[in-house]
Each structure stands twice: as structure tokens, then as C-alpha cells.
């Protein structure tokens, strides 16, 4: 019996040992990962039309190739559907960062090693050698981009390294977390970053620097033409009058008309500068090269260590359960972001610690969000789950999203409206959330003062009374966009530099909207509005007629003609038209919008197509009008809703498409492709001249 027990024990220990060995071989996501993404290739690859997508990628590649002056050969790769990457396999991406290193890593499955090798050869620089190791090969296709692969896996690593600076406040050098993990024998002593003593002022260097500024202006002459003209006119004026023209209160700069900018060529008087050489100082160039080389050595070692770790594992990625807690296996793309780590750690965290109330802000941002993205046939759906890491704070946030409903507000939604934004929150619970954020912040410098202040606020503030002023129900309805002409004053200069006013007119978009919110204290708001018409200064613009208070600008040159205010049946109204507060008949569609507005703590919609139609006169040039016409024909409608779900705040956003694309993924591609063609038209026109 004992022998059987011992044998069973040995077998159990042996099996357990094997389990531990294999478990240790998994590739773990680094602890400082603040971003994680999974791409569901099995679903997503079916939605991509390579017949359309491939030619577009080829065109982009050609444009990029032409701008690359060092690469004179034609791009050798022309079929991005056959890169050797298994597009219907799952892709894993994650991002890490700390005080000195920001890295983005992506893992791919290969289905054709030879094709992938050809693709890499077409991407890397000519003559760039591939480094072969025992279990994989790798190459740097740029100073900060490395690719490694074996027979069936590939890894892309993008790394940015910044040498830690001296923390003046702490009077100590920050620890270089990148170099700390690198073997000391592989790191060369960094002399390029050593601080140089301050040198005396050299006017020759200053002149060279100013010439460099002019060279920079010439490189973007199209954008800076008017600025150069203004400077030259200022120079001439100073030569003649030894002073600038007297400025008027309405302007703070010398202004020249566009006609003057065209008449005078800013390059005419300084032709000798155009051909002047701007040689870089050899010592400065040597120092820059040294810095780049040392930086590259660190990045290369980091990339190689990461590749070694992955290809020495069983090539399975171990992801913490917390990151995948809200992952939906049916989503096309899943993303997790640790917002608390992004804000509170690394260089951002160190900067935040310099503020007195750093712990409060760190607690606010101590949260994470997960996103599930779906490219459906007729819409794009994005589901976001927000969760605060402090359980008490999360509980108090969730309580805010459990407010009462108010059908009087949803009655303002109508069929013709462009969109709405509805809020049904519990305003009284917001105080509990604020208290929980200030609670247990540690032994900060002002911790005792904070605790006393919060206790005082609890005693002084009548939370219920404040909540009655605005309990938390509100709605904003955008009814339509109108256009009107307004007068405005511009300034110009004559040939003698005398400033003159020029009266002009322009079309502006005027929104017609209603903002309304519930109140249990009508008297408070009536006193506020009465104050507007009785105050000596405000009464010039605020008046009352019947039950409405109104605001009107005497100049009438703004974006709003008139605003109306009133309190009626427990609702405070602020609107551009008194008729907007009268409920309109609702169709089945608008009834559904109203039902959603009453059901969810937060909800809304926006008809982008109608919005662009209303903004038509804001687009002036031919290309802008073509772009407007393209989007006006193709853009759809956005709907969103937010509620408390699965111990998180869940927001679902839907974008409904309005064209005949195969699916919503190709819809975005087709739209971008057409926009790209419009953007290329000016370039084609120049070539035909």
C-alpha cells in the first residue's frame, strides 16, 4: 500500500513539475503594460475586400516612396494581401512605458515564411543586414522599429528611448529604468549626453541662427508668405520713421492685405540668401551622431532582449485576467487601457507629484477602460466599460448614474431635430463621490487640512437643498442650423502705412436649440432671472415679456440672435426660440428616441448628414465643397447610451452607415479613399500646367 502511495505521489509531483515548466514558458505581458489589444482576424479578414484595399495601399506606398529621397528604386512590393502574415489569425498588441522607455509590441502568426521574408526585404533599407539567432532572425527597418520572426511567428517592436533628465526639484538624477535591465557589459558609457558648460554669447552664431530661421520660412513659403511681407514692411517703416505705427485698441499687430502680399515678393530683396550654404558645424554634427548611435544601442538591446524572451517561450501570450475582464469573443477588436497607469506613472506621474494636491488627481485618474469594436453590416458599434480601481469610488460613481426619469424633457425631442443629449443622473450622489475621492489620500502635506475641509463642507452644505435646485435631469436638443449675414470690421493699410477700417459681411451658422433641466426649486431660478433684468448693466441686454425673459445683443452681429429663459412646471428652459418649449407631435422614430432618452442615465444622437447640410456656407474653396458633398452623401447617424452594467459604467455607441459598402469596415475605407482622391486633385492640376 505504501509503495502504491509513493508511486502515486511521485507521478503527481512529476506531472505538477511539468505543468510548472510549461507555465513558466509562457510569454507574460510586462507589468508596466498600459495598453492591450486583440484583433480578431478570423472575423475581420472576412470583412476586408483586398481587391479594393490593395490598390489603395500601393498608391500610398508610391507616394511615401517618392518623398524618400534616399530610396531611388521603385517599391518592389505590390500585393499587401500576401505578406506572409496569417490575416485570419489573432493578433496581439500591447504598449508599455516608464520614465525613459515607451514601447509598442505586436505579435503576428505567419502562414508563409518566405513571403514574409520577401515583404521585409522590400521594407528595410537597401543593404541592411538581417541578424540571425538560434531561434529567430531580426532586422531594424528604422532606428526605432525592429521586426523578428521564425517559421510561424513574427514580432514588431517600436521603441522610443529618452535619456532620463536631472530632477531639479529633487536634486537627483532619475534612475534609467531602461539601462537598468540591460547587461552593463553591453552598454557603452554615454558621453554624448553630458552637459556642456555655458559658452559666452557669439554674435556670429546668432546671425547663423537667424539665417536658419529664414531658411525655415522659405521651406514653408506658401504658409509664411504673408508673414515675411509683414516683417519686410515693418523693416521699411522702421527705417523711415524709427518707430512702429501707433497701435489702436482693436488690433495688436500690423496688418497687411492679401493684395499687398501678392504684389511684393518676399524673396526678391534677399536672393543672395537663397543660394547661401548653411553648413552644420562639424562638432555639432559629430555630437548628434554620437547621441543617435548611443540611443540606437540602447533601443537595439531592449528589442533583442524582448525577442529572446518571446522566442524562448512556447509563443503563447499570458494576459492578466483583469485586462480581459470585459472582452467579448465576438468583437472584431478588443482594447484595454490602464488610464491610471498612463497618468500616474512614468514621466507624467513624476510631474504630477510636484503639485500640492497630486494624490487627489492621481485618485481621480486611477481607472481603466475596455473597448469592444464591431464592424457590422449596417453600423459600427463600440462598447466601452469604465471602471475605477477604488471600489468605494466606483460604487459612488455608479450611484450617480441611477437618477429619476423625466418625460417632460424627452417631449422636446422632435422628428426634425439634428440631435439631442439627455441626462438622468442623481445630483445628490455626486457629493458622496467627491467625498470618496478626498478620503484616504495618505499622509500628504495637506491631508489633515483636506479632511477638516471635507467635514466642514458636510456640515455647511445642505446636499438635499442643492440637489433640489438641479436634481440631475437635463436635455439639449439641436433643432436646426440656419445661416445669417453679419457685419464685421477688418483693418487694412494703405501705401503710406495708414491704418483704415474696412466694413465687411460674412455668413455665419446660427444654431436653433433648446437646453432644459428639471428643478424642484422654481423660486430660486426666478430670482436669478429677475436679477438679470433689474441689474443696471445687465438690464440693457435682458428684458421680460410675459412669462419669458430674453437676451438680445444690440449689435446683432453674433452667432445667436436672441435667447429666451423661463421656468415652467418644474422645468428651466434656455432656448433660441420661445416656440421650442411647446411639445411637438412625435412619430414612431422620435418616440423611440424619447424612450431611450428617458430610459438611460446618459443618451444621445446626432444626424451628421443634417449637421453638414446646415454648415454648407462654412465651406468656401472648391476642394472643401467637394469634400463636403462627399461626406454629406455618405455620413450617417451616431447614437449612444450609458448605463451601470457588470460593475462598470458601460457606454454603447453606434454609427449607422448610409451607403452600399459591403460592411461598415469597407465603408470607412471607401469614404477615406474618395477623400484621398479629392486631396490629390490640386497636385494633379499643378502637374498639367
Amino acid at each position: 500500500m505504501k509503495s502504491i502511495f509513493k508511486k502515486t505521489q511521485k507521478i503527481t509531483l512529476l506531472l505538477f513539475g511539468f505543468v510548472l515548466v510549461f507555465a513558466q514558458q509562457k510569454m507574460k505581458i510586462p507589468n508596466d503594460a498600459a495598453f492591450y489589444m486583440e484583433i480578431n482576424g478570423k472575423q475581420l479578414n472576412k470583412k476586408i475586400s483586398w481587391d479594393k484595399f490593395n490598390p489603395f495601399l500601393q498608391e500610398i506606398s508610391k507616394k511615401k516612396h517618392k518623398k524618400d529621397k534616399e530610396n531611388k528604386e521603385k517599391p518592389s512590393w505590390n500585393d499587401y494581401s500576401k505578406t506572409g502574415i496569417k490575416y485570419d489569425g489573432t493578433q496581439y498588441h500591447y504598449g508599455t512605458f516608464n520614465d525613459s522607455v515607451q514601447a509598442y509590441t505586436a505579435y503576428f502568426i505567419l502562414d508563409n515564411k518566405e513571403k514574409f521574408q520577401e515583404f521585409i526585404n522590400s521594407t528595410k533599407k537597401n543593404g541592411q543586414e538581417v541578424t540571425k539567432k538560434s531561434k529567430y532572425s531580426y532586422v531594424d527597418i528604422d532606428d526605432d522599429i525592429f521586426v523578428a520572426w521564425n517559421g510561424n511567428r513574427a514580432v514588431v517592436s517600436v521603441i522610443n528611448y529618452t535619456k532620463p533628465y536631472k530632477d531639479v526639484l529633487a536634486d537627483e538624477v532619475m534612475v534609467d529604468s531602461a539601462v537598468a535591465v540591460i547587461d552593463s557589459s553591453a552598454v557603452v558609457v554615454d558621453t554624448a549626453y553630458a552637459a556642456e558648460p555655458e559658452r559666452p554669447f557669439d554674435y556670429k552664431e546668432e546671425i547663423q541662427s537667424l539665417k536658419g530661421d529664414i531658411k525655415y520660412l522659405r521651406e514653408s513659403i506658401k504658409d509664411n508668405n504673408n508673414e515675411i511681407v509683414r516683417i519686410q514692411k515693418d523693416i521699411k517703416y522702421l527705417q523711415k520713421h524709427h518707430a512702429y505705427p501707433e497701435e489702436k485698441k482693436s488690433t495688436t499687430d500690423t496688418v497687411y492685405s492679401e493684395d499687398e502680399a501678392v504684389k511684393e515678393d518676399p524673396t526678391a530683396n534677399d536672393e543672395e540668401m537663397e543660394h547661401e550654404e548653411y553648413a552644420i558645424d562639424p562638432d555639432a554634427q559629430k555630437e548628434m551622431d554620437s547621441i543617435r548611435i548611443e540611443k540606437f544601442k540602447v533601443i537595439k538591446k531592449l528589442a533583442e532582449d524582448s525577442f529572446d524572451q518571446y522566442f524562448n517561450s512556447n509563443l503563447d501570450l499570458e494576459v492578466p485576467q483583469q485586462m480581459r475582464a470585459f472582452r467579448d469573443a465576438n468583437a472584431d477588436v478588443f482594447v484595454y487601457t490602464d488610464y491610471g497607469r498612463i497618468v500616474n506613472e512614468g514621466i507624467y506621474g513624476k510631474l504630477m507629484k510636484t503639485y500640492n494636491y497630486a494624490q487627489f488627481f492621481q485618485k481621480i485618474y486611477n481607472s481603466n477602460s475596455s473597448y469592444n469594436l464591431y464592424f457590422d453590416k449596417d453600423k459600427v458599434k463600440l462598447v466601452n466599460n469604465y471602471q475605477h480601481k477604488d471600489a468605494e469610488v466606483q460604487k459612488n460613481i455608479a450611484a450617480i448614474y441611477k437618477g429619476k426619469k423625466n418625460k417632460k424633457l424627452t417631449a422636446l425631442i422632435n422628428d426634425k431635430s439634428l440631435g439631442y443629449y439627455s441626462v438622468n443622473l442623481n445630483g445628490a450622489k455626486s457629493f458622496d463621490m467627491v467625498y470618496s475621492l478626498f478620503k484616504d489620500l495618505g499622509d500628504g502635506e495637506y491631508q489633515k487640512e483636506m479632511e477638516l475641509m471635507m467635514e466642514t463642507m458636510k456640515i455647511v452644505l445642505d446636499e438635499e437643498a442643492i440637489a433640489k435646485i438641479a436634481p440631475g435631469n437635463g436635455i439639449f436638443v439641436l433643432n436646426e442650423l440656419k445661416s445669417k449675414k453679419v457685419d464685421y470690421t477688418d483693418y487694412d493699410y494703405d501705401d503710406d502705412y495708414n491704418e483704415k477700417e474696412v466694413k465687411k459681411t460674412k455668413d455665419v451658422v446660427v444654431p436653433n436649440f433648446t437646453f432644459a433641466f428639471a428643478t424642484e426649486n422654481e423660486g430660486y431660478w426666478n430670482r436669478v432671472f429677475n436679477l438679470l433684468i433689474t441689474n443696471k448693466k445687465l438690464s440693457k441686454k435682458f428684458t421680460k415679456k410675459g412669462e419669458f425673459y430674453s437676451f438680445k445683443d444690440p449689435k446683432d452681429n453674433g452667432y445667436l440672435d436672441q435667447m429666451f429663459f423661463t421656468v415652467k412646471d418644474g422645468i428651466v428652459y434656455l432656448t433660441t426660440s420661445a416656440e421650442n418649449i411647446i411639445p411637438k407631435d412625435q412619430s414612431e422614430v422620435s418616440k423611440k428616441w424619447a424612450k431611450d432618452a428617458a430610459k438611460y442615465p446618459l443618451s444621445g444622437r446626432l444626424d451628421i448628414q443634417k449637421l453638414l447640410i446646415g454648415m454648407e456656407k462654412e465651406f468656401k474653396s472648391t476642394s472643401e465643397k467637394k469634400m463636403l458633398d462627399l461626406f454629406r452623401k455618405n455620413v450617417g447617424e451616431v447614437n449612444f447610451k450609458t448605463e451601470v452594467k457588470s460593475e462598470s459604467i458601460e457606454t454603447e455607441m453606434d454609427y449607422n452607415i448610409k451607403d452600399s459598402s459591403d460592411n461598415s469596415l469597407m465603408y470607412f475605407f471607401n469614404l477615406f479613399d474618395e477623400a484621398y482622391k479629392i486631396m490629390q486633385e490640386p497636385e494633379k492640376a499643378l502637374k498639367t500646367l
Side-chain angles (χ1 to χ4, degrees):
M1 189 71 180
K2 288 184 179 180
S3 62
I4 295 175
F5 176 76
K6 287 183 178 180
K7 287 180 180 180
T8 305
Q9 189 179 39
K10 288 180 180 180
I11 293 172
T12 303
L13 290 173
L14 185 62
L15 290 173
F16 184 68
F18 275 117
V19 170
L20 287 177
V21 169
F22 283 111
Q24 289 171 351
Q25 287 181 345
K26 282 191 174 183
M27 173 67 184
K28 293 184 178 181
I29 287 185
N31 294 329
D32 57 351
F35 167 85
Y36 171 72
M37 177 170 66
E38 281 186 30
I39 297 179
N40 191 340
K42 187 176 182 179
Q43 291 185 175
L44 208 57
N45 189 54
K46 295 177 182 178
K47 300 177 181 180
I48 296 177
S49 174
W50 286 103
D51 292 338
K52 296 179 179 179
F53 201 57
N54 205 37
F56 177 73
L57 290 177
Q58 292 175 22
E59 178 65 23
I60 296 295
S61 179
K62 289 178 183 178
K63 295 287 292 183
K64 182 180 178 182
H65 200 83
K66 288 179 181 179
K67 293 181 180 180
D68 187 359
K69 298 180 180 178
E70 295 180 2
N71 200 345
K72 297 181 180 180
E73 298 180 4
K74 294 182 179 180
S76 59
W77 198 263
N78 56 14
D79 192 350
Y80 289 90
S81 65
K82 298 178 181 178
T83 59
I85 296 174
K86 185 177 174 60
Y87 289 124
D88 58 354
T90 304
Q91 296 180 18
Y92 302 94
H93 302 240
Y94 64 81
T96 61
F97 78 99
N98 52 44
D99 54 346
S100 57
V101 179
Q102 300 82 44
Y104 185 91
T105 306
Y107 297 97
F108 304 90
I109 299 174
L110 301 182
D111 59 7
N112 192 319
K113 179 184 177 182
E114 288 70 26
K115 278 289 183 183
F116 184 76
Q117 180 77 55
E118 291 176 18
F119 175 64
I120 292 299
N121 289 337
S122 70
T123 306
K124 68 181 180 66
K125 296 178 182 178
N126 292 331
Q128 189 77 1
E129 294 185 1
V130 174
T131 301
K132 294 184 178 180
K133 303 198 74 173
S134 60
K135 293 187 178 182
Y136 67 94
S137 301
Y138 80 93
V139 67
D140 52 303
I141 60 177
D142 209 334
D143 285 352
D144 56 357
I145 303 176
F146 291 79
V147 182
W149 65 94
N150 63 5
N152 55 12
R153 291 289 194 277
V155 186
V156 176
S157 186
V158 182
I159 303 175
N160 177 60
Y161 170 68
T162 304
K163 190 174 181 65
Y165 61 92
K166 184 176 181 180
D167 190 344
V168 179
L169 296 175
D171 197 26
E172 62 182 7
V173 179
M174 295 166 59
V175 177
D176 188 346
S177 56
V179 177
V181 300
I182 298 176
D183 184 36
S184 59
S185 62
V187 182
V188 181
V189 177
D190 187 359
T191 57
Y193 288 92
E196 294 184 0
E198 186 177 354
R199 294 184 294 177
F201 177 77
D202 188 337
Y203 76 94
K204 292 182 179 180
E205 289 184 1
E206 185 67 16
I207 292 173
Q208 196 71 14
S209 175
L210 293 173
K211 288 182 178 180
D213 292 340
I214 293 178
K215 183 181 179 182
Y216 171 77
L217 288 172
R218 294 188 187 287
E219 289 174 352
S220 55
I221 194 68
K222 185 177 180 180
D223 296 330
N224 294 289
N225 194 39
N226 290 341
E227 179 66 11
I228 296 174
V229 168
R230 187 190 67 78
I231 293 174
Q232 289 180 334
K233 285 185 175 290
D234 280 352
I235 292 173
K236 290 180 181 179
Y237 193 92
L238 288 169
Q239 288 173 341
K240 182 177 180 180
H241 301 283
H242 303 164
Y244 282 109
E246 185 178 351
E247 296 180 351
K248 295 190 176 182
K249 293 182 179 179
S250 55
T251 182
T252 59
D253 205 353
T254 46
V255 181
Y256 302 97
S257 67
E258 292 183 3
D259 293 336
E260 288 178 307
V262 174
K263 288 178 183 177
E264 184 168 347
D265 182 3
T267 64
N269 298 329
D270 303 310
E271 291 183 359
E272 68 278 3
M273 290 186 179
E274 187 173 355
H275 303 287
E276 189 171 348
E277 294 287 336
Y278 294 94
I280 299 177
D281 181 68
D283 292 336
Q285 183 64 55
K286 185 177 180 181
E287 182 179 352
M288 290 170 61
D289 291 341
S290 177
I291 292 173
R292 184 178 62 82
I293 291 170
E294 295 303 325
K295 182 177 180 180
F296 177 76
K297 287 179 180 179
V298 174
I299 291 175
K300 182 180 179 181
K301 189 64 172 63
L302 288 169
E304 193 173 289
D305 286 350
S306 176
F307 296 152
D308 286 341
Q309 185 181 3
Y310 178 68
F311 287 104
N312 285 324
S313 72
N314 64 0
L315 305 183
D316 285 337
L317 197 64
E318 185 176 323
V319 183
Q321 182 58 35
Q322 179 190 359
M323 289 187 174
R324 306 180 78 188
F326 296 99
R327 171 182 169 273
D328 182 1
N330 295 319
D332 294 321
V333 180
F334 169 74
V335 175
Y336 167 87
T337 56
D338 189 335
Y339 196 57
R341 185 181 295 276
I342 293 172
V343 175
N344 296 331
E345 296 185 14
I347 187 65
Y348 302 106
K350 289 179 172 60
L351 289 174
M352 196 171 290
K353 288 178 181 178
T354 61
Y355 297 98
N356 292 331
Y357 302 105
Q359 289 177 303
F360 173 71
F361 292 108
Q362 287 175 343
K363 195 168 184 179
I364 288 178
Y365 295 122
N366 191 27
S367 61
N368 55 63
S369 287
S370 298
Y371 303 86
N372 285 286
L373 180 63
Y374 309 79
F375 292 102
D376 295 335
K377 172 66 179 176
D378 58 345
K379 67 180 179 181
V380 181
K381 183 170 74 172
L382 178 67
V383 179
N384 164 234
N385 292 89
Y386 167 88
Q387 194 174 51
H388 198 280
K389 294 181 181 180
D390 187 311
E392 183 180 355
V393 175
Q394 175 64 25
K395 180 181 177 181
N396 288 323
I397 293 175
I400 295 175
Y401 283 80
K402 296 178 181 178
K404 297 179 181 179
K405 317 304 178 186
N406 192 307
K407 292 185 177 181
K408 292 180 182 178
L409 296 174
T410 59
L412 298 173
I413 299 174
N414 59 82
D415 293 353
K416 296 182 179 180
S417 62
L418 277 68
Y420 72 87
Y421 181 80
S422 176
V423 176
N424 296 303
L425 302 177
N426 189 334
K429 294 296 182 180
S430 60
F431 290 93
D432 294 335
M433 184 194 69
V434 174
Y435 296 146
S436 64
L437 287 171
F438 278 98
K439 185 180 178 182
D440 299 328
L441 287 179
D443 298 326
E445 183 179 356
Y446 299 99
Q447 177 61 24
K448 293 181 179 180
E449 289 82 355
M450 279 288 185
E451 291 177 355
L452 180 59
M453 183 181 73
M454 295 307 298
E455 289 296 328
T456 304
M457 287 177 62
K458 284 186 176 183
I459 296 172
V460 174
L461 296 179
D462 187 340
E463 297 173 9
E464 292 185 4
I466 295 175
K468 286 182 179 179
I469 294 174
N473 303 90
I475 194 169
F476 174 86
V477 181
L478 180 60
N479 295 301
E480 61 179 333
L481 294 176
K482 295 181 179 180
S483 178
K484 77 167 186 176
K485 291 187 178 294
V486 297
D487 298 324
Y488 72 101
T489 302
D490 200 358
Y491 297 90
D492 206 346
Y493 280 87
D494 57 23
D495 294 336
D496 295 325
Y497 302 98
N498 296 315
E499 187 183 56
K500 59 180 180 180
E501 292 185 354
V502 181
K503 299 293 184 181
K504 296 182 180 180
T505 60
K506 63 179 178 180
D507 292 315
V508 298
V509 176
V510 180
N512 176 14
F513 66 87
T514 302
F515 173 61
F517 59 92
T519 184
E520 296 177 19
N521 190 340
E522 292 187 15
Y524 172 82
W525 292 106
N526 280 319
R527 288 194 296 273
V528 171
F529 295 150
N530 282 326
L531 181 64
L532 298 177
I533 63 174
T534 55
N535 183 277
K536 290 183 179 180
K537 292 183 179 180
L538 298 176
S539 60
K540 296 178 181 179
K541 296 181 179 181
F542 288 89
T543 58
K544 184 181 181 183
K545 185 177 180 181
E547 62 180 353
F548 284 96
Y549 301 83
S550 65
F551 165 83
K552 187 174 180 62
D553 189 347
K555 296 181 180 180
D556 194 26
N557 61 354
Y559 289 88
L560 297 176
D561 292 327
Q562 196 169 4
M563 283 288 296
F564 296 90
F565 312 81
T566 191
V567 184
K568 186 177 181 181
D569 298 330
I571 305 294
V572 180
Y573 297 92
L574 291 84
T575 179
T576 53
S577 173
E579 296 180 356
N580 287 342
I581 73 169
I582 302 174
K584 307 292 190 302
D585 292 335
Q586 294 178 328
S587 66
E588 291 300 319
V589 175
S590 54
K591 283 181 180 178
K592 182 182 179 302
W593 298 338
K595 185 177 179 181
D596 288 343
K599 178 181 178 181
Y600 296 101
L602 297 177
S603 64
R605 64 172 291 270
L606 178 64
D607 191 325
I608 305 176
Q609 193 173 59
K610 288 184 178 179
L611 182 69
L612 291 179
I613 292 173
M615 298 179 65
E616 184 175 5
K617 292 191 176 182
E618 293 291 320
F619 298 83
K620 308 295 183 184
S621 67
T622 303
S623 60
E624 286 179 345
K625 290 180 179 179
K626 285 185 177 181
M627 196 73 74
L628 170 65
D629 188 56
L630 169 67
F631 282 95
R632 189 169 53 189
K633 290 178 180 178
N634 292 282
V635 294
E637 179 183 301
V638 176
N639 295 273
F640 84 94
K641 54 188 178 183
T642 300
E643 60 183 328
V644 179
K645 202 171 184 180
S646 301
E647 299 181 352
S648 70
I649 309 300
E650 183 175 286
T651 299
E652 178 182 327
M653 182 176 293
D654 299 328
Y655 175 73
N656 301 315
I657 65 175
K658 290 185 177 180
D659 80 340
S660 57
S661 297
D662 297 336
N663 53 65
S664 57
L665 175 62
M666 292 308 298
Y667 157 82
F668 278 109
F669 160 73
N670 292 333
L671 188 61
F672 184 77
D673 186 29
E674 291 298 321
Y676 179 79
K677 291 176 182 177
I678 293 175
M679 290 189 290
Q680 299 307 310
E681 287 181 358
E683 184 177 332
K684 292 180 180 179
L686 286 173
K687 290 181 179 179
T688 59
L689 294 177

